[in-house]
Amino acid sequence: MSVPATEAVTPNGMYRSPTTTTTGSNSDKEMFLNLMVAQLRYQDPLNPADSGEFLAQNAQFTALEKMQDVADQTAALLAAQISFGAAGMVGRNVTYLTEDGGTASGVVSSVTYDATGPRLTVGDQSVSLGQISSISAADPATDPATDPASEPSTSTAPAV
C-alpha cells in the first residue's frame, strides 16, 4: 500500500480546493480490508493468527486514516488562507514575473478564483500568486485610505 506523504508545491499546485477529495485513500482502505479478509480466510485453522496482531494493524490503520483527515483539513485551511490573502491584495501595487521571464507591475484591480487558485487581475493581465515577486502600498495620490482629503473631519459640532 502506498500513501503519498507530500505533494509538490508549485505556483499552480499550492492551492487545492477544499472540495477536492483524495481517491487514493478509499482504494487504500479497500486494499487493507481485502488483505485482512484474505489473511483470515486462508489462515491455518490449527494455528490461527494472533487477535492482538489484527487489533494492532487495525489501530495503525485508524491512526493513518486520522492523520490523512488532519492533512486534508490543513490543506483546506491553507487554501482558505491563500484566498483571503489574495483578496487583501486588491488595490495594492504588485510586481510579477511575466510568461517570457521578464517583470511587470501594476495595481491589482480584482481577484478571481478557479481550480488552480486565486488569479489577480493586473491591468489586462491575469496573474497567479506564484508569479508575484513583490507587493507595495498603492500610490498615496490614488489610494483613498492614505489620501488626507478623504479623511473624515475630526471637528465636532456643538451640542444643542
Side-chain angles (χ1 to χ4, degrees):
M1 164 174 37
S2 71
V3 178
T6 59
E7 294 180 13
V9 177
T10 63
N12 291 332
M14 69 178 151
Y15 178 82
R16 183 172 63 162
S17 172
T19 59
T20 303
T21 60
T22 56
T23 57
S25 64
N26 287 338
S27 64
D28 289 343
K29 288 179 196 177
E30 286 182 31
M31 187 182 345
F32 175 79
L33 292 175
N34 287 337
L35 284 172
M36 193 157 80
V37 168
Q39 280 180 325
L40 289 172
R41 182 180 297 149
Y42 297 113
Q43 71 179 343
D44 181 5
L46 300 175
N47 187 15
D50 181 21
S51 62
E53 186 177 320
F54 282 114
L55 288 174
Q57 287 177 349
N58 194 18
Q60 287 176 341
F61 187 73
T62 301
L64 179 64
E65 190 175 33
K66 295 301 178 188
M67 286 190 288
Q68 184 64 46
D69 289 344
V70 169
D72 291 344
Q73 290 172 356
T74 303
L77 181 62
L78 177 62
Q81 188 174 14
I82 288 171
S83 296
F84 287 128
M89 295 172 71
V90 173
R92 303 280 186 177
N93 284 325
V94 294
T95 302
Y96 59 95
L97 300 173
T98 60
E99 299 289 327
D100 61 1
T103 61
S105 63
V107 176
V108 177
S109 59
S110 66
V111 179
T112 57
Y113 301 91
D114 63 16
T116 62
R119 307 243 352 135
L120 309 174
T121 303
V122 181
D124 61 349
Q125 297 293 313
S126 178
V127 180
S128 72
L129 287 179
Q131 292 175 268
I132 303 296
S133 60
S134 70
I135 305 166
S136 61
D139 182 16
T142 60
D143 188 0
T146 59
D147 186 10
S150 68
E151 290 183 16
S153 174
T154 57
S155 64
T156 57
V160 180

